[in-house]
Amino acid sequence: MRKASSTQQSEIVGYTVVRRDTDTNASLEVSGQWLRDARIKPVEQVVAELESRPVKRLSILPVELADWDSRLPSYLLKIADYCVAKAIELDVSAMPQGVQDLLALARAVPERSGARRREERAPFLANVGNSVLNLIEDSRQLVIFLGELILAVGEVLRGQARFRALDLFIFVQDAGPNGFPIVSLISLLVGLILAFVGALQLAMFGAQIYIADLVALGTVREMGPLMTAIIMSGRTGAAYAAQLGTMNVNSEIDALKTMGISPMEFLVIPRMLALVLMMPLLTLYADLLGILGGAAVSYGAFDVSITQYYHEITKAVDIVDFSVGFFKSVVFAVLIAIAGCMRGMACGRSASAVGDAATAAVVDSIVYIVVSDSLITLILNQMRI
Amino acid sequence: MTTAHITVDHLTMAYGDFVIQRDLSFTIGRGEVFIVMGGSGCGKSTLLKHLIGLHRPAKGQVYYDKQNFWRADAEQRIKVMRRIGVLYQSGALFSSLTLAENIALPLGEFTGLNKAEIADMVSYKLALVGLAGFEDYYPAEISGGMQKRAGLARAMALDPEILFFDEPSAGLDPVSARLLDDLILSLCDTLGTTIVVVTHELASIFAIGTNSVFLDPESKTMLATGNPKKLLAESDDPRIIQFLTRGEGRGDKQKGVL
Ligand SMILES: Nc1ncnc2c1ncn2[C@@H]1O[C@H](COP(=O)(O)OP(=O)(O)O)[C@@H](O)[C@H]1O
Ligand SMILES: [Mg+2]
């Protein structure tokens, strides 16, 4: 049977004929094969035919009805819905018992009023309006989150926050030492690139020695904190969003709340603390590797001795530059933790929502990082630091 | 008549503008096993969320004893919440903690017990629900029924005055479901705990329920409240009879109509 249906597709046909018995009565004759791959007149045409000359009573009659599967009851259900809407009396008593039973089953629980949600293609302006409303809602959530966070930080400062020391330890481990390899690789390479690009220009007027200044200043004030923050937002911020999002899907956050434990203190604070503790250290480490990268380029390709390079660096950067980088990294750590945790806590209750939360966390934190970096640089520039 | 433990007064529940149920008024007495029943999707879990402080009512009040739960400030509400235990539909165990750590968490937070005492308490609670020896398992390493029971152990960690269950027997085999029912009953008897159960398992409803409320998804309100056995015997609302008899009617079998 299945074989025949696939080789001779055009052979399988189901027929419907609308017959008018009297002025008010009509019958719909179904015949042929009502199978999944059968060619059957679309139900809309039948409805349109009925529509063209309204009737009071419609009987469905089988005429040499051969095989049928779900195709038939689903077709009839459409017609039955139409009949209910137009108050037409529908008679299916002549149909096979199986069809009658399935139809009865499909209609046993009436559609919940207001349950159906239409996925309408909204017009352009409505889309614009919706995205603005979403933006406002997002900002509102951010403000609420920040408020709760500040209260929780207050609890921490008073020494009353509840979280597990073990959790903090695990997060520190994860955000710090486990991040070493990727931070090493990226910052070393960024140092190399910075040195190389600068050196090509400087070498034109024989000022290779100033590669050291360029690399040291650029790394310590800008690239070190920035690259570390971007790595951490992808590595740790996204992980936080996914962790909290999954806990939300699994009602774990509800469970905490009903236990009377604040999720803010229990879940967010240790994560944020871990980042705030670890990011400055990672940044210092990244600075060191960036400068090493620069040294490799100037020594290897531009004949600057290591001692010269070292001397140049000690002249170029001082404690103020390091403080600026340090300050930035603390700010970035807070921002990454906020973006990750907020998206996680506000996550919907599905697998795809967890993915969305992780994506949004990374996007948010990169935006926060770059914007705040620009602001800080601008302000420091104005203050001539 | 027992004294009122939770009183719900003209409660209307909504998600945004979408009203789930309106005008619910009923009383849950001290020491009762109170059943929240109704077809799936009628708002039973939502009602639970309103009772345990996870969702604010659109209208109406919830009282614990004489205290207005949602009017109280956050601190007082948390105090009330510490007196209740909740078993979630999914178990909601903390997946990154072992069973022992899950149960130890509220004990460590809210009692003055030392480590050894907490460990003893944890073992005792796990033994109560038949999970002795599973202290160091993670939730993902045990079966769904065991997760439910571990969730119960956690819900009971602080000896709450009121226990809430969301479909405790969903996904359990009939024997385990029965055992869970027995467990709930014996808790109620020995500790005098008030118990609120969301369920549509008829067997459980009649076996353990002493009081109930029936939510209807169509009219979006409650149809009746009272002892489920009495409801079955005395109610003349066909929707309730149909629910309580699995659609077979009180003796006279109804014929399906198309
Ligand atoms: N977070 C939510 N947001 C919007 N609607 C919801 C939400 N949770 C549940 N609903 C809707 O509320 C209704 C009741 O859900 P629920 O209380 O879970 O029913 P049940 O009685 O099966 O436990 C359903 O129609 C569901 O679609
Ligand atoms: Mg539910």
Side-chain angles (χ1 to χ4, degrees), chain A residues 112 115 117 349, chain B residues 13-16 18-21 36-49 55 89 166-167 198 200 215:
Chain A
R112 177 92 41 89
R117 294 180 181 158
R349 301 208 162 202
Chain B
M13 317 187 285
Y15 288 108
F18 185 54
V19 174
I20 307 292
Q21 290 276 325
V36 178
M37 55 185 170
S40 58
C42 66
K44 304 184 295 292
S45 301
T46 307
L47 174 58
L48 215 58
K49 279 189 197 165
H55 205 282
Q89 210 161 344
D166 196 351
E167 310 212 1
V198 166
H200 42 225
L215 305 183

Side-chain angles (χ1 to χ4, degrees), chain A residues 35-354:
Chain A
L35 299 175
R36 242 198 333 258
D37 0 75
R39 202 156 44 76
I40 294 168
K41 184 158 48 160
V43 67
E44 288 77 19
Q45 285 186 22
V46 175
V47 170
E49 254 177 80
L50 292 171
E51 190 95 302
S52 64
R53 272 182 54 198
V55 289
K56 287 247 158 53
R57 189 185 152 84
L58 179 69
S59 333
I60 314 267
L61 304 174
V63 179
E64 289 171 19
L65 180 62
D67 295 323
W68 59 272
D69 60 12
S70 291
R71 193 76 187 273
L72 182 55
S74 68
Y75 200 89
L76 295 184
L77 187 60
K78 265 277 166 63
I79 292 177
D81 285 346
Y82 166 76
C83 289
V84 169
K86 298 282 168 184
I88 298 170
E89 194 185 332
L90 181 69
D91 179 14
V92 292
S93 56
M95 294 302 283
Q97 192 59 43
V99 177
Q100 288 188 43
D101 290 349
L102 287 172
L103 261 183
L105 193 60
R107 304 176 65 200
V109 180
E111 185 167 313
R112 177 92 41 89
S113 50
R116 186 178 296 257
R117 294 180 181 158
R118 282 216 173 68
E119 210 39 59
E120 280 173 8
R121 267 187 69 97
F124 173 71
L125 276 182
N127 276 334
V128 172
N130 276 335
S131 28
V132 171
L133 287 180
N134 283 343
L135 202 66
I136 293 175
E137 178 59 27
D138 275 2
S139 329
R140 208 178 66 96
Q141 296 225 333
L142 182 62
V143 171
I144 293 176
F145 185 87
L146 286 181
E148 286 177 4
L149 184 62
I150 289 169
L151 288 180
V153 169
E155 294 288 300
V156 175
L157 294 181
R158 284 196 288 151
Q160 291 184 341
R162 303 167 187 282
F163 58 83
R164 297 181 350 135
L166 183 62
D167 282 348
L168 178 61
F169 178 76
I170 291 173
F171 295 135
V172 163
Q173 171 81 24
D174 190 59
N178 293 353
F180 264 24
I182 177 90
V183 171
S184 315
L185 179 71
I186 302 283
S187 40
L188 189 67
L189 290 182
V190 168
L192 280 173
I193 295 168
L194 210 57
F196 211 81
V197 172
L200 283 179
Q201 310 299 318
L202 292 172
M204 281 196 285
F205 40 95
Q208 296 95 316
I209 182 65
Y210 291 110
I211 302 174
D213 299 63
L214 176 79
V215 171
L217 265 183
T219 304
V220 170
R221 289 186 74 118
E222 280 301 332
M223 293 319 264
L226 195 64
M227 292 317 288
T228 311
I230 287 179
I231 294 167
M232 293 311 276
S233 76
R235 227 187 137 263
T236 306
Y240 288 174
Q243 288 162 3
L244 297 183
T246 311
M247 292 187 77
N248 203 6
V249 171
N250 193 23
S251 314
E252 290 176 39
I253 293 184
D254 284 352
L256 271 183
K257 281 187 200 156
T258 43
M259 271 182 200
I261 299 177
S262 150
M264 204 51 92
E265 291 172 26
F266 194 78
L267 300 174
V268 176
I269 289 292
R271 285 176 168 79
M272 176 172 275
L273 267 183
L275 267 184
V276 169
L277 289 176
M278 285 299 109
M279 282 257 304
L281 296 183
L282 274 180
T283 302
L284 277 183
Y285 174 72
D287 291 348
L288 180 70
L289 281 183
I291 291 174
L292 276 183
V297 170
S298 19
Y299 176 70
F302 295 93
D303 285 340
V304 179
S305 79
I306 296 293
T307 25
Q308 276 176 308
Y309 187 82
Y310 175 77
H311 269 293
E312 211 35 57
I313 286 190
T314 47
K315 275 197 291 170
V317 290
D318 55 15
I319 190 74
V320 175
D321 298 310
F322 275 101
S323 314
V324 169
F326 196 86
F327 172 70
K328 279 185 181 173
S329 69
V330 172
V331 172
F332 296 160
V334 172
L335 293 176
I336 293 171
I338 287 177
C341 294
M342 196 196 90
R343 289 298 183 170
M345 301 275 276
C347 176
R349 301 208 162 202
S350 69
S352 68
V354 174

